[in-house]
Amino acid sequence: MLTKNQRLTTECLRLGSELEGVCDAGGMPLFVPGALPGETVDALVVKPQQRYAFGKLMQVLTPSPERAEPVCPAYQWCGGCSGQHMTYEATLRAKRAQVLDCLNRIGGLNLSEDQVPPVLGAADPWRFRNKTALPVQGTAQEPQIGFYRRRSHQIVPVEDCPITMGPLGEVLTAVRAWMQENRVQPYNEETGKGLLR
């Protein structure tokens, strides 16, 4: 049984549904965001359960050749996307594997990998998201606009996002200025007060 705050060296076997690494922790799955298949990692157990656990990537000991440097400076904390730590080709293969897994596990089919066509990638995998919801916190004078940190409601402030269409930075600047000039209070989840969510 794994315990909270336990550190272990483990191998990542595959990717989960949110592109998190599924590692072997003595026969128990340990979900580690940021780990890639084939990597040996140092992980911290943050939430042990009876049949699986969630971990935090502390260090990559043996990196995968499919590891990539994230384009976004906020990627490490932001919960807006989950695949920038891997090559684009690796994300396409992971999506194909997800479709195959869903068809077989959920759909009850017995398909082989060659029965699911490869994912058609984009010519440019950036600036594709045509809808973006950015939560707002802080105060009218110091508004914080960004994305929620993974698995929390804490804002990771951003100035731009490489996967959103258009000039997001200009929009954020305009909204902040409007809030400050008009004293528009961000919504506060604890008090239930505020105008802009």
Side-chain angles (χ1 to χ4, degrees):
M1 181 72 175
L2 298 174
T3 58
K4 186 173 182 175
N5 296 325
Q6 178 181 349
R7 292 276 292 260
L8 62 141
T9 300
T10 181
E11 182 183 358
C12 181
L13 305 174
R14 61 184 175 83
L15 292 174
S17 62
E18 296 179 19
L19 299 182
E20 75 279 23
V22 182
C23 300
D24 177 32
M28 178 184 285
L30 174 66
F31 297 96
V32 182
L36 294 176
E39 291 185 331
T40 302
V41 299
D42 174 21
L44 174 73
V45 177
V46 294
K47 187 175 180 184
Q49 301 289 323
Q50 189 171 356
R51 296 187 305 195
Y52 57 90
F54 296 98
K56 178 180 179 183
L57 180 65
M58 303 305 287
Q59 183 180 3
V60 176
L61 303 173
T62 309
S64 165
E66 296 185 330
R67 180 163 288 282
E69 188 65 32
V71 172
C72 180
Y75 177 74
Q76 180 179 343
W77 306 280
C78 179
C81 61
S82 58
Q84 287 191 31
H85 64 290
M86 59 194 347
T87 64
Y88 184 55
E89 294 75 21
T91 63
L92 297 178
R93 285 193 302 279
K95 290 174 183 181
R96 181 183 188 193
Q98 283 181 344
V99 169
L100 179 63
D101 178 61
C102 288
L103 290 171
N104 287 337
R105 189 173 42 83
I106 299 169
L109 303 175
N110 191 21
L111 301 176
S112 63
E113 188 174 315
D114 61 338
Q115 290 177 290
V116 176
V119 176
L120 298 175
D124 180 6
W126 305 106
R127 302 289 178 193
F128 65 87
R129 188 177 282 177
N130 61 9
K131 180 180 177 184
T132 303
L134 297 167
V136 182
Q137 291 178 353
T139 65
Q141 295 311 312
E142 295 290 331
Q144 294 180 350
I145 306 173
F147 292 98
Y148 286 131
R149 186 177 291 265
R150 287 184 182 96
R151 292 183 170 34
S152 83
H153 274 213
Q154 183 183 15
I155 296 276
V156 175
V158 296
E159 294 303 319
D160 192 19
C161 176
I163 65 172
T164 61
M165 284 184 171
L168 183 62
E170 294 174 25
V171 172
L172 292 173
T173 299
V175 171
R176 283 190 197 102
W178 171 77
M179 290 178 71
Q180 291 166 340
E181 289 169 17
N182 297 287
R183 298 187 179 133
V184 177
Q185 288 295 329
Y187 179 76
N188 184 313
E189 290 182 347
E190 294 175 9
T191 65
K193 295 181 180 177
L195 181 64
L196 191 62
R197 279 192 133 159

